[in-house]
Amino acid sequence: MYKIRIRGGLRLKGEIPISGAKNAALPLMVASLLTDAPLTLTNVPNLADVAFMADLLRHFGVGVEWTPGHAGDGGRFRLCARDLTGTTADYDIVRKMRASFFALGPLLARAGTAKVSLPGGCAIGARPVDLHLKALQALGATVDLVEGYVVASAPEGLKGAEVAFPSVSVGATENALMAATLAEGRTILLNAAREPEIDDLGRCLIAMGAEITGLGSSKITVDGVKSLHAAEHAVLPDRIETGTYAIAAAIAGGEVELTGTRGELIGALTGLLEIAGAEVRETERGMCVARNGARPISVSADTAPYPGFPTDLQAQFMALMATSDGTSRIRETIFENRFMHVPELLRMGADIKIEGDTAIVTGVAGLKGAPVMATDLRASSSLVLAGLAAEGETIVNRVYHLDRGFERMEEKLRRVGAEIERLPS
Ligand code: EPZ
């Protein structure tokens, strides 16, 4: 167990390399189940969740070769599901990482059967999986719930169909998209999620021989093929990591270039940062965020599916607003319980009130360092950001949450001048 110690108040200057996206890498790894040929993924971040996913794939009989990256390069996976030796994902695996549930569609499409534990709730909300199941049922699967497991089968194979999602779900879109690649005939996904990670998954599936059109829109059409083949694909840059370090520059002040990423991935955030008084510009290698002088200006935001303001940046943005001049309203519309960072920010002197799905944040002139507790991945990063701006020392406990989704965070922040270190707790 580790904790992170931050001594706040230092301006940041320099560059931070952005890693491959966790939330793209996880479904991409699962896509290897769709073919007996190898799938090679590059620019893969070295994260606890990626290691969990590799374990899950080994459990299904997938050959996993991992070459870690070095000096800012991402790692490389060669995944080969030549023979599937299992189609069951146990509770112990799925409860540790919800993304394990993405295996349901590909297993069903390839093997005609799958048994995957229901994930249950998590720190940010109930997070049901009904949309995943309805989509697979629409493709002809029978689905039973047996002792906490989803038992799905399609012995004759999946059949293309129209799947209209009643609300936008990233994971259900990904599950259905993967399953539809091997279904017989045409599948049309309506009200599909438009997150860049779905586009990335779709591009990889196309490289594997899938026939997909409409990526990036809310109507995706898939014409099923008999089999997929070997491919190589580079994971797209992590937009949530990009946004988190963009906010780091804005909260601490200074100037930071984020390399290996693209500003357009976080358009909704950069609009807010500019209103708040930060300067954001594209560079040849990525983007640059700077803030000098005055306190950030308050600006309100509602989370929304892409291209809206991402829920995965809500906690980090709230840390910035906690230091702003004025009052902002931050509304969480995606998850019902994603304000777990608020009591911790209050411990650092923030002034935040929660009214239903909205946090009313009145900025304070200075946060104060304090011991705080991380509750989930993005909440943890918001506490680190608050620590960068706070006077004195902040200790963030339960750092394992951070390690699930941020590659070498303290090292990346140290290289731009932050005083931050990892200690045993
Ligand atoms: C993905 O989760 C991400 N995870 C999350 O990132 C992210 O917060 C979320 O999308 C929203 O952008 C991965 O990509 C691995 P959803 P996912 O299905 O797919 C409800 C992080 O910190 N819903 O789009 O699980 C659901 O409860 C994580 O990296 C149903 O009701 O999210 C939520 O309210 C956390 N029924 C909303 O839809 C379903 O069957 C959106 O969830 C599925 C979802």
Side-chain angles (χ1 to χ4, degrees), residues 29-68:
M29 292 172 74
V30 172
S32 67
L33 293 167
L34 290 164
T35 172
D36 60 4
L39 173 64
T40 303
L41 298 174
T42 58
N43 198 34
V44 182
N46 193 356
L47 298 169
D49 272 12
V50 165
F52 273 143
M53 187 57 87
D55 283 347
L56 176 66
L57 294 176
R58 282 190 195 95
H59 175 83
F60 296 138
V62 178
V64 177
E65 289 169 31
W66 166 243
T67 315

Side-chain angles (χ1 to χ4, degrees), residues 56 92 119 127 178 193 199 224 230 263 269 333 350 355 359 395 411:
L56 176 66
D92 266 354
R127 301 184 78 184
M178 287 190 276
D199 184 70
L269 173 71
T333 71
E355 286 180 7
I395 304 277
E411 198 182 309

Side-chain angles (χ1 to χ4, degrees), residues 22-23 127-131 169-171 312 334-335 338 378:
K22 168 186 81 97
N23 287 348
R127 301 184 78 184
V129 289
D130 55 316
L131 301 175
S169 162
V170 176
D312 290 346
I334 308 290
F335 292 110
R338 211 172 192 182
R378 309 304 175 187

